Amino acid sequence: MKKEIQNNLFEFWKEIGNLTGNLIEKNNFYSVLDEESDWPNRVFNSSTDVNTLASIVDLKNRNILPAGLAIDGAINLEKDKRFEFVYNQINMSLNLEKHECLGFSEKNIKKVDTSYLGKIFAKVASASFGYNVNYKTILKIIDSKNIDLYLYKIADNFLCCGIIFYDSLNNAGLHMIGTVPDERGKGIGKQMTQKLINEAKSKNKSYCVLH
């Protein structure tokens, strides 16, 4: 399942790159670089042969590629001084065929389907994750048939965001689930996660995957 989970993440970034016009496609890797945003801005699906890594470093130093490189965790670059380890991601999956949806009120969760809500989404995501999410990027992905965005709202306050991405392997990836700092620990993110799972189940997807 590991390859399918990784595929969802890389397909997601590639979709964003295509929709925003920021995708760089080479023989041995892909990249998304938006100079007005910190997200997603990654080099991904890369070969780790010597020549490819040298090319990536050179293009990064010339500001053609972003600084972030996402690679398989089995590849060890700790001894290569050109790279600095930042973090690793744990992959999880849920078999939707065996999953029974939990009932809960979804009245506070709104689908992002307007430019106004798109701008709100960018603000909530930026506050939740501590990096800049360009609202122009969000506006360009709202209409994608493969991407659905949601916001959690109480009264006039938007407190949480979440994205679901449907990939070519019939899996649904849960992305950018985040709650603004002052509202954490109240179960809001849990409700958003359950909403995304329910959406994936309703569309007969095979698995939900989370990075």
Side-chain angles (χ1 to χ4, degrees):
M1 195 67 206
K2 178 181 176 180
K3 289 183 178 180
E4 288 87 348
I5 299 171
Q6 182 173 277
N7 172 78
N8 183 273
L9 182 61
F10 290 171
E11 268 197 39
F12 181 49
W13 289 340
K14 187 176 179 181
E15 176 96 351
I16 294 171
N18 276 321
L19 292 170
T20 60
N22 292 316
L23 182 69
I24 298 173
E25 184 174 354
K26 300 292 185 180
N27 290 334
N28 294 321
F29 64 86
Y30 293 94
S31 175
V32 177
L33 176 59
D34 181 349
E35 295 181 352
E36 298 183 59
S37 182
D38 296 323
W39 175 85
N41 289 7
R42 293 286 190 279
V43 179
F44 59 96
N45 205 22
S46 168
S47 165
T48 54
D49 67 81
V50 173
N51 292 332
T52 299
L53 292 177
S55 175
I56 289 172
V57 170
D58 175 63
L59 292 171
K60 179 266 176 187
N61 289 338
R62 290 193 279 144
N63 297 317
I64 296 172
L65 296 181
L69 170 64
I71 59 172
D72 190 306
I75 305 299
N76 188 345
L77 294 179
E78 292 179 0
K79 296 180 180 179
D80 192 325
K81 295 182 178 180
R82 297 172 300 175
F83 301 94
E84 177 184 0
F85 175 77
V86 180
Y87 64 88
N88 65 340
Q89 293 181 250
I90 304 300
N91 298 328
M92 294 172 279
S93 63
L94 174 67
N95 187 337
L96 292 173
E97 293 181 0
K98 299 179 179 180
H99 175 71
E100 294 295 331
C101 289
L102 300 177
F104 70 100
S105 175
E106 299 182 6
K107 66 179 182 179
N108 297 110
I109 300 178
K110 314 294 181 183
K111 186 173 182 179
V112 177
D113 55 7
T114 66
S115 59
Y116 168 74
L117 290 177
K119 291 180 180 180
I120 296 294
F121 185 100
K123 290 181 180 180
V124 173
S126 297
S128 298
F129 296 102
Y131 52 75
N132 178 43
V133 177
N134 186 1
Y135 77 90
K136 295 177 184 177
T137 299
I138 300 302
L139 297 186
K140 289 182 179 178
I141 70 176
I142 286 176
D143 294 327
S144 169
K145 62 182 177 61
N146 299 318
I147 302 173
D148 288 330
L149 301 88
Y150 294 90
L151 285 165
Y152 185 100
K153 180 183 180 183
I154 294 181
D156 293 326
N157 300 311
F158 292 91
L159 308 178
C160 179
C161 60
I163 296 177
I164 186 165
F165 172 66
Y166 306 108
D167 66 30
S168 62
L169 301 179
N170 200 45
N171 296 319
L174 311 188
H175 300 269
M176 200 169 273
I177 301 172
T179 305
V180 297
D182 290 345
E183 301 296 331
R184 292 171 184 167
K186 300 178 181 180
I188 295 173
K190 179 180 179 180
Q191 291 184 53
M192 178 63 74
T193 302
Q194 190 59 59
K195 167 65 175 177
L196 301 185
I197 292 172
N198 288 353
E199 287 296 316
K201 176 79 172 180
S202 72
K203 291 179 170 58
N204 297 314
K205 299 303 174 181
S206 300
Y207 285 84
C208 259
V209 299
L210 177 67
H211 312 278

